[in-house]
Amino acid sequence: MATTFLSCGSFLRHHSHFCKSFFCCFNDVDASSTSSLPKSTSSSYARRWYNPSIRRQSNEGVEIVRHWVEADQPSASEEKFSVVSYNILAERNAWKHRGLYPNVPSPYLKWNHRKRVICEELLMWNPDIICLQEVDKYFDVSEIMEKTGYVGSYTRRTGDAIDGCAIFWKADKFRLIDEESIKFNMFNLRDNVAQLTVLEMSKGKSRLLIGNIHVLYNPSRGDVKLGQIRYLLSRAEILSEKWSNLPFVLAGDFNSTPESAIYKFLSSSELNFMSYDRRELSGQSGCHPAKVLGVKKEACRPFFCLGCQTKGFWTEEEVKVATGSADCQVVRNPFRLTSSYATLKGPTTTRGSTGEPLATSYHSKFLGTVDYIWYSDGLTPTRVVDTVPIDILLKTGGLPCEKVGSDHLPLISEIAFTRTLEESNSQ
């Protein structure tokens, strides 16, 4: 079954009671306004990512269609829920890094347009739980979500940044049991934040732990990225055990690719991180569009280097940041998570060799996958909404575009419980 992005007819049918007030919330976008805006305030950043091979073009009129990918075997469980993970591109970041969006007409970068497109899309998929990253207009979004039956919580980043993470859930399907906000600067792990939320289903009373994180972007600071994920997992383990070993769903923008050491850590029980160069832990260096599309391949560096060559690259302070202890060489993952998209295989037009999407984010300096929905034992994905084929993404010239409100694509997964509350309590 195919579903067209932002199907207004579908949106109106599902939310007719709300449409009048919804559309009054937005100002009209001046489609004739194409004046250039200030480029990124960091000239060195712009020089670093300059790519003359990218052709300036309009991204109007590209048809974006996404399909559900179903599991081979339907789940026997009647207790299911759907989750969205979406980096919605903070308004401040859109303008601060305007140089990342040379092909995006100015009206499509304006918050009023993007807010409408983002909220229409979220409501069209009708998810039970929504995990958002890069939220700097939380009250704008929450006002709309609350009118359609959601409640939510928000954790703002520390430092100069004004965006953060937000979780919304359907008030008639879940009730809040417990929650924790994580501010990584308290542990010398920069200004990023994460959230942990315990929800109980109104019917059936099954409980679930939801995690939402936006990992540090900086490709060279794999020690900080690893430290943030390691600390989140340690807190999730404590919260899960507090409520009788809850199953865990972890969503977010991890700023790490499927080929990276950090991805391998998330899907395994431990990582001997000192076998890797901390500057390559996240695998981002190979994701400039020119490299992904085969231009200047000789300039590509490997995602990471193995062996003793790199062991000397880790300072005592970096080891402490990554692990919490200067004497530790192995980072433990208490959950051994599985990616819902990698579990449900899609076509080669949208999926890579790992089973993950070929791209969840696209702008002039990046084309690749950094967003995931992970799940633990006790859960299984029943279907996911596949991403967009690379050839269609390339026609946009870069995101956001007319029908996509961010430089990321939302991930949507339906997940079923595989064990009852009584079984979880007995473990």
Coordinates of all heavy atoms in Angstrom, one line a residue, residues 5 58 199 224 305 315 370 378:
F5 N 2.9 11.5 0.9 CA 3.2 12.4 1.9 C 2.2 13.5 1.9 O 1.8 14.1 0.9 CB 4.6 13.1 1.5 CG 5.6 12.8 2.5 CD1 6.9 12.6 2.0 CD2 5.4 12.7 3.9 CE1 8.0 12.4 2.9 CE2 6.4 12.5 4.7 CZ 7.7 12.3 4.3
S58 N 15.5 24.0 -8.3 CA 14.4 24.1 -7.4 C 13.9 22.7 -7.0 O 14.0 21.8 -7.7 CB 13.3 24.8 -8.2 OG 12.0 24.7 -7.5
L199 N 5.6 4.4 30.1 CA 4.2 4.5 29.8 C 3.5 3.2 30.0 O 4.0 2.1 29.8 CB 4.0 4.9 28.3 CG 4.6 6.3 27.9 CD1 4.5 6.4 26.4 CD2 4.0 7.4 28.6
V224 N 32.7 11.5 22.9 CA 31.5 12.2 23.5 C 30.2 11.4 23.1 O 29.3 11.2 23.9 CB 31.5 13.7 23.1 CG1 30.2 14.3 23.7 CG2 32.7 14.4 23.6
C305 N 39.8 3.0 11.7 CA 41.0 2.2 11.5 C 41.1 1.2 12.7 O 40.8 1.5 13.8 CB 42.2 3.1 11.6 SG 42.1 4.5 10.4
T315 N 43.4 9.7 24.6 CA 43.9 10.2 25.8 C 43.2 9.7 27.0 O 42.1 9.2 26.9 CB 43.9 11.7 25.8 OG1 42.5 12.2 25.9 CG2 44.5 12.3 24.5
V370 N 21.2 8.5 9.8 CA 21.7 8.7 11.2 C 20.6 8.5 12.2 O 20.8 8.6 13.4 CB 22.3 10.1 11.4 CG1 23.6 10.2 10.6 CG2 21.3 11.2 10.9
G378 N 11.3 -8.6 24.2 CA 10.0 -8.4 24.7 C 9.1 -7.6 23.7 O 7.9 -7.4 23.9

